[in-house]
C-alpha cells in the first residue's frame, strides 16, 4: 500500500484522532500557555477592571489605516500621518498621565496611556472634519480627549467642530474637563437616549460606546437617525458583539464595514470599529 492510500485508510479509522492527539495537544497547550502567561502578567501589572487599554499590533494598526482610508475616501499616506499625529501628541499624553495619576480613582486606571482603536477615531475626525460629533459613553474621557485633540487640529486648519459626549454616570469624564480639550467638549450627563432626543444641532459623526446591549445600541441608532446631517458617518464600538449597525445600514441604504483590532500583549481579544456611511 502506498503512503497516500495508507493515510486515507487511517483517516477512515478511529485511529486518526488518536494518532494526531500528541500534536494537537502540543498546539493547543502552547496557545493556552501563552494566554495564561499574558493573563498572569496583566493581573499583577494592570489596575483596569473594564474598558481595557492596550496598543495595537503593527499589523492591526496597518489594517486600521486601510479601514479609515476606505470609509473616509482618504489616501492611505494621509491617514498614516493622522495616526502618527495622535501617537506623537506629547501635550495630550502628558495631560492624560498627570490627570490619571492625580485622580481619586487612580487605583482603577493604568498610568501608561494606550489608545487602542481610538487612534482610528482620531484619523476619521481628521479626515472628515465634522462640525458636530456625538459620542455616547464617556467613562474616564479617554475617547472624548482623543476626539477633542482631532477637533483642535481641525480648528487650527480652519475647520472648527465640537463633540457632545453623553454618559449616565455623573462621575464620568474627569480626563475631559481640562483645557484646551474641554473647550471643544460638551459633557452631558443622563441616559443617552434622552440626551440624543434633546440634541438641537445636526450630527455629522455619531459614535455608539455606551450600554453595549443589543437593545440599547439599536435604540441609540434609531434615536439619532432624525438628527443626522446629510452624509453623516455612524460608528459603533460594539461591532465584534452585535450586527446592529450593519442591520441599520441595510435598512437606511448605507454601506457598512467592520474592523477588528488585535491588542499587543493582552488577554482581551480586542474590540473594533463598525462604520456605516
Ligand atoms: C465603554 S465605556 C465608554 C468608553 C469611552 N467611550 C472611551 O473611549 O473610553 C461605557 C460608558 O457608557 C456609560 N453608559 C452606560 N449606559 C449608559 C446609558 N444608558 N446612557 C449613557 N451612558 C451610559 C457608562 O457609564 C460608561 O461610562
Amino acid at each position: 500500500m502506498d503512503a497516500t492510500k495508507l493515510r486515507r485508510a487511517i483517516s477512515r479509522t478511529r485511529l486518526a484522532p488518536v494518532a494526531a492527539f500528541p500534536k494537537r495537544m502540543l498546539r493547543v497547550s502552547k496557545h493556552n500557555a501563552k494566554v495564561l502567561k499574558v493573563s498572569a502578567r496583566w493581573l499583577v501589572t494592570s489596575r483596569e477592571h473594564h474598558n481595557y487599554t492596550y496598543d495595537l499590533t503593527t499589523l492591526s494598526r496597518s489594517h486600521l489605516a486601510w479601514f479609515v482610508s476606505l470609509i473616509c475616501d482618504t489616501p492611505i499616506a494621509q491617514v498614516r500621518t493622522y495616526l502618527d499625529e495622535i501617537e506623537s501628541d506629547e501635550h495630550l499624553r502628558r495631560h492624560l498621565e498627570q490627570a490619571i495619576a492625580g485622580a481619586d480613582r487612580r487605583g482603577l486606571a493604568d498610568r501608561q496611556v494606550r489608545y487602542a482603536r481610538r487612534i482610528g477615531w482620531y484619523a476619521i475626525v481628521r479626515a472628515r472634519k465634522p462640525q458636530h460629533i456625538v459620542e455616547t459613553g464617556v467613562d474616564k474621557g479617554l475617547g472624548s480627549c482623543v476626539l477633542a485633540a482631532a477637533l483642535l487640529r481641525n480648528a487650527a486648519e480652519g475647520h472648527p467642530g465640537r463633540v457632545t459626549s453623553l454618559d449616565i454616570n455623573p462621575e464620568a469624564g474627569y480626563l475631559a474637563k481640562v483645557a484646551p480639550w474641554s473647550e471643544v467638549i460638551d459633557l452631558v450627563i443622563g441616559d443617552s437616549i434622552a440626551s440624543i432626543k434633546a440634541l438641537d444641532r445636526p450630527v455629522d459623526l455619531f459614535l455608539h460606546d455606551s450600554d453595549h446591549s443589543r437593545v440599547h445600541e439599536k435604540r441609540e441608532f434609531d434615536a439619532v437617525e432624525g438628527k443626522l446631517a446629510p452624509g453623516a458617518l455612524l460608528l459603533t464600538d460594539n461591532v465584534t458583539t452585535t450586527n446592529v449597525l450593519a442591520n441599520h445600514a441595510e435598512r437606511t441604504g448605507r454601506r457598512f464595514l467592520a474592523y477588528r483590532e488585535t491588542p499587543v500583549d493582552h488577554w482581551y481579544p480586542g474590540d473594533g470599529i463598525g462604520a456605516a456611511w
Side-chain angles (χ1 to χ4, degrees), residues 51 118 121 135 137-139 143 167-168 191-192 209-211 216:
N51 199 19
R118 294 177 192 81
W121 303 355
E135 173 200 29
V138 177
D139 192 28
D167 204 291
I168 201 163
D191 179 69
S192 62
D209 193 13
S210 63
D211 171 349
H216 192 83

Side-chain angles (χ1 to χ4, degrees), residues 13-237:
T13 69
R14 287 197 178 166
L15 271 181
V18 176
F21 191 81
K23 193 171 180 181
R24 283 151 41 83
M25 185 69 180
L26 188 67
R27 284 267 164 89
V28 74
S29 303
K30 265 189 180 170
H31 172 82
N32 289 341
K34 199 171 152 198
V35 176
L36 280 176
K37 192 172 152 198
V38 167
S39 307
R41 194 182 321 126
W42 175 83
L43 276 172
V44 293
T45 56
S46 176
R47 305 167 176 197
E48 296 177 341
H49 66 297
H50 76 298
N51 199 19
Y52 309 116
T53 62
Y54 35 78
D55 290 317
L56 304 180
T57 64
T58 305
L59 184 64
S60 191
R61 184 185 184 278
S62 167
H63 290 171
L64 178 57
W66 281 105
F67 171 81
V68 174
S69 170
L70 185 69
I71 65 172
C72 296
D73 196 18
T74 301
I76 184 68
Q78 183 64 64
V79 175
R80 290 192 185 116
T81 67
Y82 294 148
L83 297 183
D84 294 344
E85 198 174 86
I86 178 66
E87 288 168 334
S88 59
D89 185 339
E90 289 307 320
H91 188 202
L92 176 62
R93 195 176 288 275
R94 262 198 316 279
H95 152 59
L96 294 169
E97 281 168 357
Q98 285 168 5
I100 288 168
D104 291 344
R105 294 161 74 199
R106 59 184 171 275
L108 297 174
D110 287 352
R111 298 268 167 102
Q112 196 186 342
V113 176
R114 291 164 300 213
Y115 299 118
R117 64 204 167 282
R118 294 177 192 81
I119 61 172
W121 303 355
Y122 180 92
I124 290 167
V125 175
R126 291 290 282 130
R128 291 187 60 115
K129 320 266 187 251
Q131 289 177 28
H132 186 204
I133 304 171
V134 172
E135 173 200 29
T136 71
V138 177
D139 192 28
K140 296 183 261 313
L142 182 57
S144 310
C145 284
V146 166
L147 296 169
L151 289 172
L152 289 168
R153 292 266 189 171
N154 286 351
E157 293 171 2
H159 303 280
R162 301 191 66 78
V163 53
T164 306
S165 295
L166 316 176
D167 204 291
I168 201 163
N169 179 358
E171 291 177 11
Y174 69 84
L175 296 175
K177 291 179 180 169
V178 174
W181 304 278
S182 60
E183 288 164 3
V184 292
I185 300 172
D186 299 309
L187 191 57
V188 178
I189 300 301
D191 179 69
S192 62
I193 305 300
S195 302
I196 290 167
K197 287 182 179 165
L199 290 169
D200 58 4
R201 276 182 303 140
V203 179
D204 302 295
L205 198 163
F206 178 82
L207 167 64
H208 160 80
D209 193 13
S210 63
D211 171 349
H212 283 328
S213 68
R214 191 184 305 270
V215 171
H216 192 83
E217 186 185 8
K218 181 174 184 320
R219 287 183 70 209
E220 281 192 4
F221 285 117
D222 288 345
V224 83
E225 190 58 41
K227 305 280 181 178
L228 297 175
L233 175 66
L234 301 171
L235 301 178
T236 181
D237 199 64

